[in-house]
Amino acid sequence: MLVRNLDQLPATAAILPHLLRLLKSDSSSLAEVIELIRVDSAITARTLQMGSSTYYNARGTPCDSVAEAVHRVGFNEVYKLVSYAATAHLLLRALAPYRLQPDQFWKRSVSCALAAEQLADHVGVNRNLAYTAGLLHGVGMVAIDCWSQREEIDLHFDSEGLPAETTASESRLLGTTNAAVGAALLELWEFPPAIVEPVRWQYDPAKSREEPLLACLLHVAKWLRDAAHLPEEQPLPPAPEGWVLENLRLLPNDLEIRLYQVRDAFLAARRLLD
């Protein structure tokens, strides 16, 4: 019932599973990637705008074509650029049941994506898959919010903080969690298991059979997501369990170094999008 409220992937975001497949394939060409971007006018406009920014071009010279924008950005950065444009309408929204304002939800999503990307480079898994799992890890919250608005149900979930967050409150009131709803949606939208399974088991990576490494990665990326934006005077959240860190070849001391890297990457992303 919850999933039916978002059973159709919004048009701009529908490009992401196809773009992932192209970027993973050794036989794909840059021309195919460019043609896929050009199919959607909104994404084309945003890609040109970003390619024209001083972040990628010191002079800020306008791009005349998607091809030029892609060449400026670089093949490895294309997916990140397009995903920002494609998911803006999903992520820039208030989520009343979770007491999140649009900017807060967007910050959580993008920071988690950047953290997941960094961890992917560290453990040697596909960075685009990890980035997407991080970017869309809260999509189940969007579905729950949409359902509550449609049914005119006033929902408010209590968060216990990391690692469980609002799952106990969700289970009590709905009989499910945002992770389960999000995984069902991503599966319906034909995202690969390497994205669906980490989202499903983001709160309990020990239960992931198909993608245990990526589930651990997303679990730790969420810690970095929160820790990177805490005021200096606030204590850090409890660190992820030792076995999770071991799976990612991380020591507890590594986390503090990485949270500063995530913070810097987020500030760079915000400058780009602004």
Coordinates of all heavy atoms in Angstrom, one line a residue, residues 16-82:
L16 N 18.4 7.0 -14.0 CA 19.5 6.5 -13.2 C 19.8 5.1 -13.4 O 20.9 4.7 -13.6 CB 19.3 6.9 -11.7 CG 19.3 8.4 -11.4 CD1 19.1 8.5 -9.9 CD2 20.6 9.0 -11.8
P17 N 18.8 4.1 -13.3 CA 19.1 2.7 -13.6 C 19.7 2.5 -14.9 O 20.7 1.7 -15.1 CB 17.8 2.0 -13.4 CG 16.9 2.9 -12.6 CD 17.3 4.3 -13.0
H18 N 19.3 3.2 -16.0 CA 19.8 3.0 -17.3 C 21.2 3.6 -17.4 O 22.1 3.0 -18.0 CB 18.9 3.7 -18.3 CG 17.5 3.3 -18.3 ND1 17.1 2.0 -18.7 CD2 16.4 3.9 -18.0 CE1 15.8 1.9 -18.6 NE2 15.3 3.0 -18.1
L19 N 21.5 4.7 -16.7 CA 22.8 5.3 -16.8 C 23.8 4.4 -16.0 O 24.9 4.3 -16.4 CB 22.8 6.7 -16.2 CG 24.0 7.5 -16.2 CD1 24.5 7.7 -17.6 CD2 23.8 8.9 -15.6
L20 N 23.3 3.8 -14.9 CA 24.2 2.9 -14.1 C 24.7 1.7 -15.0 O 25.8 1.4 -15.0 CB 23.4 2.4 -12.9 CG 23.5 3.2 -11.6 CD1 22.6 2.6 -10.6 CD2 24.9 3.2 -11.1
R21 N 23.7 1.2 -15.8 CA 24.0 0.0 -16.6 C 25.1 0.4 -17.7 O 26.0 -0.3 -18.0 CB 22.8 -0.5 -17.3 CG 21.9 -1.4 -16.3 CD 20.9 -2.2 -17.0 NE 19.7 -1.3 -17.4 CZ 18.7 -1.1 -16.6 NH1 18.6 -1.6 -15.4 NH2 17.7 -0.3 -17.0
L22 N 24.9 1.6 -18.3 CA 25.8 2.1 -19.3 C 27.2 2.3 -18.7 O 28.2 1.9 -19.3 CB 25.3 3.4 -19.9 CG 24.2 3.3 -21.0 CD1 23.9 4.7 -21.5 CD2 24.7 2.5 -22.2
L23 N 27.3 2.9 -17.5 CA 28.6 3.2 -17.0 C 29.3 2.0 -16.4 O 30.5 2.0 -16.4 CB 28.4 4.3 -15.8 CG 28.0 5.7 -16.2 CD1 27.8 6.5 -15.0 CD2 28.9 6.3 -17.2
K24 N 28.5 0.9 -16.1 CA 29.2 -0.3 -15.7 C 29.7 -1.2 -16.8 O 30.5 -2.0 -16.7 CB 28.1 -1.1 -14.9 CG 28.0 -0.7 -13.4 CD 27.0 -1.6 -12.7 CE 27.6 -3.0 -12.5 NZ 26.7 -3.9 -11.8
S25 N 29.1 -0.9 -18.0 CA 29.5 -1.8 -19.2 C 30.8 -1.3 -19.8 O 30.9 -0.1 -20.1 CB 28.3 -1.8 -20.2 OG 28.7 -2.4 -21.4
D26 N 31.7 -2.2 -20.1 CA 32.9 -1.9 -20.8 C 32.7 -1.5 -22.3 O 33.5 -0.9 -22.9 CB 33.9 -3.1 -20.7 CG 34.3 -3.4 -19.3 OD1 34.3 -2.4 -18.5 OD2 34.7 -4.5 -19.0
S27 N 31.5 -1.9 -22.8 CA 31.3 -1.7 -24.2 C 30.5 -0.4 -24.5 O 30.3 0.0 -25.6 CB 30.5 -2.9 -24.8 OG 29.2 -3.0 -24.1
S28 N 30.1 0.3 -23.4 CA 29.4 1.6 -23.6 C 30.3 2.7 -24.0 O 31.5 2.7 -23.6 CB 28.7 2.0 -22.3 OG 27.7 1.0 -21.9
S29 N 29.8 3.6 -24.8 CA 30.6 4.7 -25.3 C 30.1 6.0 -24.6 O 28.9 6.1 -24.1 CB 30.4 4.8 -26.8 OG 29.1 5.2 -27.2
L30 N 30.9 7.0 -24.7 CA 30.5 8.3 -24.1 C 29.3 8.8 -24.9 O 28.4 9.5 -24.4 CB 31.7 9.3 -24.2 CG 31.5 10.6 -23.5 CD1 31.3 10.4 -22.0 CD2 32.8 11.4 -23.7
A31 N 29.2 8.5 -26.2 CA 28.1 9.0 -27.0 C 26.8 8.4 -26.5 O 25.8 9.2 -26.5 CB 28.3 8.6 -28.5
E32 N 26.8 7.2 -26.1 CA 25.5 6.6 -25.5 C 25.1 7.3 -24.3 O 23.9 7.5 -24.0 CB 25.7 5.1 -25.3 CG 25.9 4.3 -26.5 CD 26.2 2.8 -26.2 OE1 27.3 2.5 -25.8 OE2 25.3 2.0 -26.3
V33 N 26.1 7.6 -23.4 CA 25.8 8.3 -22.2 C 25.2 9.7 -22.5 O 24.2 10.1 -21.9 CB 27.1 8.4 -21.3 CG1 26.8 9.3 -20.1 CG2 27.5 7.1 -20.9
I34 N 25.8 10.4 -23.4 CA 25.3 11.7 -23.8 C 23.9 11.7 -24.3 O 23.0 12.5 -24.0 CB 26.3 12.4 -24.8 CG1 27.6 12.7 -24.1 CG2 25.7 13.6 -25.4 CD1 28.7 13.0 -25.1
E35 N 23.6 10.7 -25.2 CA 22.3 10.6 -25.8 C 21.2 10.3 -24.7 O 20.1 10.8 -24.8 CB 22.3 9.4 -26.8 CG 22.9 9.8 -28.1 CD 22.3 11.1 -28.7 OE1 21.1 11.2 -28.8 OE2 23.1 12.1 -29.0
L36 N 21.6 9.5 -23.7 CA 20.7 9.2 -22.6 C 20.3 10.4 -21.8 O 19.2 10.7 -21.5 CB 21.2 8.1 -21.7 CG 20.4 7.7 -20.5 CD1 19.0 7.1 -21.0 CD2 21.1 6.6 -19.7
I37 N 21.4 11.3 -21.5 CA 21.1 12.5 -20.8 C 20.2 13.4 -21.6 O 19.4 14.1 -21.1 CB 22.5 13.2 -20.5 CG1 23.3 12.3 -19.5 CG2 22.3 14.6 -19.9 CD1 24.7 12.8 -19.3
R38 N 20.4 13.5 -22.9 CA 19.7 14.4 -23.8 C 18.2 14.1 -23.9 O 17.4 14.9 -24.3 CB 20.3 14.5 -25.2 CG 21.7 15.2 -25.2 CD 22.3 15.1 -26.5 NE 21.4 15.7 -27.6 CZ 21.6 15.5 -28.9 NH1 22.6 14.8 -29.3 NH2 20.8 16.1 -29.7
V39 N 17.8 12.9 -23.5 CA 16.4 12.5 -23.6 C 15.5 13.3 -22.7 O 14.4 13.6 -23.0 CB 16.3 11.0 -23.2 CG1 14.8 10.6 -23.0 CG2 16.9 10.1 -24.3
D40 N 16.1 13.7 -21.6 CA 15.3 14.5 -20.6 C 15.7 16.0 -20.6 O 16.9 16.3 -20.3 CB 15.5 13.9 -19.2 CG 14.5 14.5 -18.2 OD1 14.8 15.6 -17.7 OD2 13.5 13.9 -17.9
S41 N 14.8 16.8 -20.9 CA 15.1 18.3 -21.0 C 15.6 18.9 -19.7 O 16.5 19.7 -19.7 CB 13.9 19.0 -21.6 OG 12.8 18.9 -20.8
A42 N 14.9 18.5 -18.6 CA 15.3 19.1 -17.3 C 16.7 18.7 -16.9 O 17.5 19.5 -16.5 CB 14.3 18.6 -16.3
I43 N 17.1 17.4 -17.2 CA 18.4 17.0 -16.9 C 19.4 17.6 -17.8 O 20.5 18.0 -17.4 CB 18.5 15.4 -16.9 CG1 17.7 14.9 -15.7 CG2 19.9 15.0 -16.8 CD1 17.7 13.4 -15.6
T44 N 19.1 17.7 -19.1 CA 19.9 18.4 -20.0 C 20.3 19.8 -19.6 O 21.4 20.2 -19.6 CB 19.3 18.4 -21.4 OG1 19.1 17.1 -21.9 CG2 20.1 19.2 -22.4
A45 N 19.2 20.5 -19.2 CA 19.4 21.9 -18.8 C 20.3 22.0 -17.5 O 21.2 22.9 -17.5 CB 18.1 22.6 -18.5
R46 N 20.1 21.1 -16.6 CA 20.9 21.1 -15.3 C 22.3 20.7 -15.6 O 23.3 21.3 -15.0 CB 20.3 20.2 -14.3 CG 20.8 20.4 -12.9 CD 20.5 21.7 -12.4 NE 20.8 21.8 -10.9 CZ 21.5 22.8 -10.4 NH1 21.9 23.8 -11.1 NH2 21.8 22.8 -9.1
T47 N 22.5 19.7 -16.5 CA 23.9 19.3 -16.9 C 24.6 20.4 -17.5 O 25.8 20.7 -17.2 CB 23.8 18.1 -17.9 OG1 23.1 17.0 -17.2 CG2 25.2 17.6 -18.2
L48 N 24.0 21.2 -18.4 CA 24.6 22.3 -19.1 C 25.0 23.4 -18.1 O 26.1 24.0 -18.1 CB 23.7 22.9 -20.2 CG 23.5 22.1 -21.4 CD1 22.5 22.7 -22.3 CD2 24.8 21.9 -22.2
Q49 N 24.1 23.6 -17.1 CA 24.3 24.6 -16.1 C 25.5 24.3 -15.2 O 26.3 25.1 -14.9 CB 23.0 24.8 -15.2 CG 23.1 25.9 -14.2 CD 21.9 25.9 -13.3 OE1 21.1 25.0 -13.3 NE2 21.7 27.0 -12.6
M50 N 25.6 23.0 -14.8 CA 26.7 22.6 -14.0 C 28.0 22.6 -14.7 O 29.0 23.0 -14.2 CB 26.4 21.2 -13.4 CG 25.3 21.1 -12.4 SD 25.0 19.5 -11.8 CE 23.7 19.7 -10.7
G51 N 27.9 22.1 -16.0 CA 29.1 22.1 -16.8 C 29.7 23.5 -17.0 O 30.9 23.7 -17.3
S52 N 28.8 24.5 -16.9 CA 29.2 25.9 -17.2 C 29.8 26.6 -15.9 O 30.3 27.7 -15.9 CB 28.0 26.8 -17.7 OG 27.6 26.2 -18.9
S53 N 29.6 25.9 -14.7 CA 30.0 26.5 -13.5 C 31.5 26.6 -13.3 O 32.3 25.9 -14.0 CB 29.4 25.7 -12.3 OG 30.2 24.5 -12.1
T54 N 31.9 27.5 -12.5 CA 33.4 27.7 -12.3 C 34.0 26.5 -11.5 O 35.2 26.4 -11.5 CB 33.6 29.0 -11.4 OG1 32.8 28.9 -10.2 CG2 33.2 30.3 -12.2
Y55 N 33.1 25.7 -11.0 CA 33.7 24.5 -10.3 C 34.4 23.6 -11.3 O 35.4 23.0 -11.0 CB 32.5 23.7 -9.7 CG 32.9 22.5 -8.9 CD1 33.3 22.6 -7.5 CD2 33.0 21.2 -9.4 CE1 33.7 21.5 -6.8 CE2 33.3 20.1 -8.7 CZ 33.7 20.3 -7.3 OH 34.1 19.2 -6.6
Y56 N 33.9 23.5 -12.5 CA 34.5 22.7 -13.6 C 35.2 23.5 -14.6 O 36.0 23.0 -15.4 CB 33.4 21.8 -14.3 CG 32.8 20.8 -13.4 CD1 31.5 20.8 -13.1 CD2 33.6 19.7 -13.0 CE1 31.0 19.8 -12.2 CE2 33.1 18.7 -12.1 CZ 31.8 18.8 -11.8 OH 31.3 17.8 -11.0
N57 N 35.0 24.8 -14.6 CA 35.6 25.7 -15.6 C 35.9 27.0 -15.0 O 35.0 27.8 -14.7 CB 34.6 25.8 -16.8 CG 35.1 26.8 -17.8 OD1 36.3 27.0 -18.0 ND2 34.1 27.5 -18.4
A58 N 37.2 27.3 -14.7 CA 37.6 28.5 -14.0 C 37.0 29.8 -14.6 O 36.7 30.7 -13.8 CB 39.1 28.6 -13.9
R59 N 36.8 29.8 -15.9 CA 36.3 31.1 -16.5 C 34.8 31.1 -16.5 O 34.2 32.2 -16.8 CB 36.8 31.1 -17.9 CG 38.3 31.3 -18.1 CD 38.7 31.4 -19.5 NE 40.2 31.6 -19.6 CZ 40.8 31.7 -20.8 NH1 40.1 31.7 -21.9 NH2 42.1 31.8 -20.9
G60 N 34.1 30.0 -16.2 CA 32.7 30.0 -16.2 C 32.1 30.2 -17.6 O 31.0 30.7 -17.7
T61 N 32.8 29.7 -18.6 CA 32.3 29.8 -20.0 C 31.1 28.9 -20.2 O 31.2 27.7 -19.9 CB 33.5 29.4 -21.0 OG1 34.6 30.2 -20.6 CG2 33.0 29.7 -22.4
P62 N 30.1 29.4 -20.8 CA 28.9 28.6 -20.9 C 29.1 27.4 -21.9 O 29.9 27.5 -22.8 CB 27.9 29.5 -21.6 CG 28.3 30.9 -21.2 CD 29.8 30.8 -21.1
C63 N 28.5 26.2 -21.5 CA 28.6 25.1 -22.4 C 27.5 25.2 -23.5 O 26.4 25.6 -23.3 CB 28.3 23.8 -21.6 SG 29.6 23.3 -20.5
D64 N 27.9 24.8 -24.7 CA 27.0 24.8 -25.8 C 26.3 23.5 -26.1 O 25.3 23.5 -26.8 CB 27.8 25.2 -27.1 CG 28.4 26.6 -27.1 OD1 27.7 27.5 -26.5 OD2 29.5 26.8 -27.6
S65 N 26.8 22.4 -25.5 CA 26.1 21.1 -25.7 C 26.4 20.2 -24.5 O 27.3 20.5 -23.7 CB 26.8 20.5 -26.9 OG 28.1 20.2 -26.7
V66 N 25.6 19.2 -24.4 CA 25.7 18.2 -23.4 C 27.1 17.5 -23.5 O 27.8 17.2 -22.5 CB 24.6 17.1 -23.4 CG1 24.9 16.0 -22.5 CG2 23.3 17.7 -23.1
A67 N 27.5 17.3 -24.7 CA 28.8 16.6 -25.0 C 29.9 17.5 -24.4 O 30.8 16.9 -23.7 CB 29.1 16.4 -26.5
E68 N 29.9 18.8 -24.6 CA 30.9 19.6 -24.0 C 30.9 19.6 -22.5 O 31.9 19.6 -21.8 CB 30.7 21.1 -24.5 CG 31.8 22.0 -24.0 CD 31.6 23.4 -24.5 OE1 30.7 23.7 -25.3 OE2 32.4 24.3 -24.1
A69 N 29.7 19.6 -21.9 CA 29.5 19.6 -20.5 C 30.1 18.3 -19.9 O 30.8 18.3 -18.9 CB 28.1 19.7 -20.1
V70 N 29.8 17.2 -20.6 CA 30.3 15.9 -20.1 C 31.8 15.8 -20.2 O 32.5 15.3 -19.3 CB 29.7 14.7 -20.9 CG1 30.4 13.4 -20.7 CG2 28.2 14.6 -20.6
H71 N 32.4 16.4 -21.3 CA 33.8 16.4 -21.4 C 34.5 17.2 -20.3 O 35.6 16.9 -19.8 CB 34.2 16.8 -22.8 CG 34.1 15.8 -23.9 ND1 34.8 14.7 -23.9 CD2 33.2 15.7 -24.9 CE1 34.5 13.9 -24.9 NE2 33.5 14.5 -25.6
R72 N 33.9 18.3 -20.0 CA 34.4 19.2 -18.9 C 34.4 18.5 -17.6 O 35.3 18.6 -16.8 CB 33.6 20.5 -18.8 CG 33.9 21.5 -19.9 CD 33.2 22.8 -19.6 NE 33.3 23.8 -20.7 CZ 32.8 25.0 -20.7 NH1 32.1 25.4 -19.6 NH2 32.9 25.8 -21.7
V73 N 33.3 17.9 -17.3 CA 33.1 17.2 -16.0 C 34.0 16.0 -15.9 O 34.5 15.7 -14.8 CB 31.6 16.9 -15.8 CG1 31.4 16.0 -14.6 CG2 30.7 18.1 -15.7
G74 N 34.1 15.2 -16.9 CA 34.8 14.0 -16.9 C 33.9 12.8 -16.8 O 32.9 12.8 -16.1
F75 N 34.2 11.7 -17.4 CA 33.4 10.5 -17.5 C 33.0 10.0 -16.1 O 31.9 9.6 -15.8 CB 34.1 9.4 -18.3 CG 33.2 8.3 -18.8 CD1 32.3 8.5 -19.7 CD2 33.3 7.0 -18.2 CE1 31.4 7.5 -20.2 CE2 32.5 6.0 -18.6 CZ 31.6 6.2 -19.6
N76 N 34.0 10.0 -15.2 CA 33.8 9.4 -13.9 C 32.9 10.3 -13.0 O 32.3 9.8 -12.0 CB 35.1 9.2 -13.1 CG 35.9 8.1 -13.7 OD1 35.4 7.2 -14.3 ND2 37.2 8.2 -13.7
E77 N 32.7 11.6 -13.4 CA 31.9 12.5 -12.6 C 30.5 12.6 -13.2 O 29.6 13.3 -12.6 CB 32.5 13.8 -12.5 CG 33.8 13.9 -11.6 CD 33.5 13.6 -10.1 OE1 32.7 14.3 -9.6 OE2 34.0 12.6 -9.6
V78 N 30.3 12.1 -14.4 CA 29.0 12.3 -15.0 C 27.8 11.8 -14.2 O 26.8 12.4 -14.1 CB 29.0 11.6 -16.4 CG1 27.6 11.5 -17.0 CG2 29.9 12.3 -17.4
Y79 N 28.0 10.6 -13.6 CA 26.9 10.0 -12.9 C 26.5 10.9 -11.7 O 25.3 11.1 -11.4 CB 27.2 8.6 -12.4 CG 26.1 7.9 -11.7 CD1 25.0 7.4 -12.5 CD2 26.0 7.9 -10.3 CE1 23.9 6.9 -11.8 CE2 24.9 7.3 -9.7 CZ 23.9 6.8 -10.4 OH 22.8 6.3 -9.8
K80 N 27.5 11.4 -11.0 CA 27.2 12.2 -9.8 C 26.5 13.4 -10.2 O 25.5 13.8 -9.6 CB 28.5 12.6 -9.1 CG 28.3 13.3 -7.8 CD 29.6 13.8 -7.2 CE 30.6 12.6 -6.9 NZ 31.8 13.1 -6.3
L81 N 26.9 14.1 -11.3 CA 26.3 15.3 -11.8 C 24.8 15.0 -12.2 O 23.9 15.8 -11.8 CB 27.1 15.8 -13.0 CG 26.7 17.1 -13.6 CD1 27.9 17.8 -14.2 CD2 25.6 17.0 -14.7
V82 N 24.6 14.0 -12.9 CA 23.2 13.7 -13.4 C 22.3 13.3 -12.2 O 21.2 13.7 -12.1 CB 23.3 12.6 -14.5 CG1 21.8 12.1 -14.8 CG2 24.0 13.1 -15.7

